[in-house]
Amino acid sequence: MSTQVADIALIGLAVMGQNLILNMNDHGFVVCAYNRTVDKVKSFLENEAKGTKVIGAYSLKEMVDTLKSPRRIMLLVKAGTAVDAFIEQLVPLLSPGDIIIDGGNSEYQDTERRTKDLEQKGILFVGSGVSGGEDGARYGPSLMPGGNPKAWPHIKSIFQSICAKADGEPCCDWVGETGAGHFVKMVHNGIEYGDMQIICEAYHLMRSGLQLTQEEMSVVFDEWNRSELDSFLIEITRDILKYKDNKGYLLERIRDTAGQKGTGKWTAIAALDYGVPVTLIGESVFSRCLSALKNERVEASTVLSGPEPVYKGDKKQFLEHLRKALYAAKIISYAQGFMLLREAAKVHNWNLNYGGIALMWRGGCIIRSAFLGNIKSAYDKNSKLSNLLLDDFFAKAMDTCHPSARTVVSAAVTMGIPTPALSTALAFYDGFRTARLPANLLQAQRDYFGAHTYELLGQEGKFVHTNWTGHGGKVSASTYDA
């Protein structure tokens, strides 16, 4: 085999890896394929990659030897120790200026560590979010690269060729330094959790409250997909609802316990770490946890009482309220996600382009939807926008939709149908628009039992303690924010 013919190597031949290789091949790049189980390389070359320019390697050294300089190696392996193990084996084979790209769902702190460690060895590390599932990988994913910025000029042409396009623009751009790419992908996945949960709650209200058939629900989602809710997840929900096999509708036979791979949980943990109220994603994670308690829920359903879950009013009118409630919750979810991105950017000194991130999510990825264009416009108008809800477009949309959200949440409570994500979206909206919250009482309580101090209105920055009982003493505890 002649040396130095491959533009990039990819390690990991599961479905995502194979599809990305074939995507790169379609765009004229020569890819070297490698897998730890080398039999997979042979099988891939003889089957899926037959007739392509893809070449295979049966050892890491052989793979590295096929690469043009600077060498570009992409890992699509399980996050965690597997990534570190491959990096350890690759480093002795590489030269300064070579590039390692991690395209898995790695934790952003790991990417931060790897970027810094490898920079000291002269290797440029990139942690890139890859979204869109196996179909996206094959025909155009959303790519969110971050890490060592010196790597970007060397991978830009490959990444922007193979990614999805929205209105002709690539759904991929440089995100930022160290862990920025994987942080943005993590928040994307958290928003995905939220989007899926609010759709599930709408389905629950239609099925149990309005008692619609699956065909009727599919028609509703089809209509919604032609409104502001136009999105990949609404579209696939329509298709899932009408899907039948030889036993009839499949959806009703699927066990109602949801799994998770951790990225939604990581988003909720990051929100707590940074003190950002990303409540809708948090509720979405907890809803999956609650769904896992199947046996307890079945038992509880025979013991605990509740109201009759049937809607007595005008169904058509309620469906329009539900559409608006869903739209309002979606706006809140994205507003919270971008709040988290802003706070992380401040802490890590990342220069995130929020409009660019919205554009990256417009095509290829799971949360792709028409309204991401409105988010891009909001940040194009004001790059320093502190919260999406303060943009004219979204403020007006919430003004139109929040009354419907109240109608839906009230009806859900009356019927005893759980809507944790729709409810928390409304609670956040009301909390955010409230100039004076009851946290003054909370601060007084903390000072009463723990001498934690408080600030007086008009005297911000000066922390005082009151001896509330007359025998508590005048010494305060150390001041801290909580």
Side-chain angles (χ1 to χ4, degrees), residues 129-185:
V130 178
S131 179
E134 55 189 86
D135 210 44
R138 182 67 186 86
Y139 301 108
S142 169
L143 298 170
M144 299 154 245
N148 194 319
K150 291 179 195 155
W152 180 232
H154 303 291
I155 64 170
K156 184 177 179 178
S157 63
I158 299 177
F159 272 42
Q160 292 196 335
S161 297
I162 67 167
C163 72
K165 310 295 183 288
D167 299 330
E169 294 189 68
C171 296
C172 167
D173 207 347
W174 185 251
V175 175
E177 298 201 357
T178 62
H182 274 135
F183 192 91
V184 167
K185 173 60 164 58

Side-chain angles (χ1 to χ4, degrees), residues 261-275:
K261 285 193 171 173
T263 43
K265 181 177 77 176
W266 295 347
T267 311
I269 291 168
L272 290 168
D273 284 343
Y274 294 113

Side-chain angles (χ1 to χ4, degrees), residues 137-304:
R138 182 67 186 86
Y139 301 108
S142 169
L143 298 170
M144 299 154 245
N148 194 319
K150 291 179 195 155
W152 180 232
H154 303 291
I155 64 170
K156 184 177 179 178
S157 63
I158 299 177
F159 272 42
Q160 292 196 335
S161 297
I162 67 167
C163 72
K165 310 295 183 288
D167 299 330
E169 294 189 68
C171 296
C172 167
D173 207 347
W174 185 251
V175 175
E177 298 201 357
T178 62
H182 274 135
F183 192 91
V184 167
K185 173 60 164 58
M186 177 193 78
V187 173
H188 161 283
N189 283 29
I191 290 172
E192 181 186 305
Y193 271 55
D195 271 2
M196 292 167 78
Q197 179 61 28
I198 56 178
I199 290 170
C200 288
E201 291 174 16
Y203 155 70
H204 194 174
L205 284 164
M206 285 186 215
R207 186 192 65 189
S208 300
L210 304 186
Q211 300 195 313
L212 301 186
T213 65
Q214 286 202 204
E215 195 59 47
E216 286 170 330
M217 287 187 271
S218 179
V219 169
V220 171
F221 276 99
D222 187 48
E223 286 168 4
W224 285 359
N225 202 43
R226 290 193 284 268
S227 74
E228 302 98 322
L229 292 175
D230 170 14
S231 65
F232 174 69
L233 285 168
I234 293 284
E235 188 183 309
I236 68 167
T237 303
R238 172 201 68 195
D239 296 346
I240 289 165
L241 280 159
K242 68 181 179 189
Y243 183 85
K244 286 180 181 174
D245 59 15
N246 56 6
K247 291 180 184 169
Y249 288 109
L250 175 61
L251 181 59
E252 287 304 307
R253 303 200 307 275
I254 295 175
R255 192 166 187 261
D256 56 318
T257 56
Q260 54 178 308
K261 285 193 171 173
T263 43
K265 181 177 77 176
W266 295 347
T267 311
I269 291 168
L272 290 168
D273 284 343
Y274 294 113
V276 181
V278 185
T279 56
L280 197 145
I281 294 169
E283 283 294 351
S284 302
V285 175
F286 288 133
S287 294
R288 293 195 186 194
C289 298
L290 182 60
S291 79
L293 306 176
K294 176 69 175 174
N295 296 339
E296 290 95 320
R297 287 189 291 110
V298 169
E299 186 186 353
S301 71
T302 65
V303 177
L304 303 176

Side-chain angles (χ1 to χ4, degrees), residues 316-352:
K316 196 172 178 196
Q317 195 180 54
F318 187 79
L319 282 170
E320 179 55 13
H321 285 312
L322 187 53
R323 185 185 72 82
K324 286 181 175 174
L326 205 56
Y327 186 45
K330 194 175 168 76
I331 290 170
I332 296 293
S333 183
Y334 282 75
Q336 291 182 352
F338 277 87
M339 283 166 70
L340 182 55
L341 290 176
R342 281 187 75 83
E343 187 57 33
K346 215 186 291 175
V347 170
H348 294 277
N349 233 357
W350 295 332
N351 184 22
L352 298 184

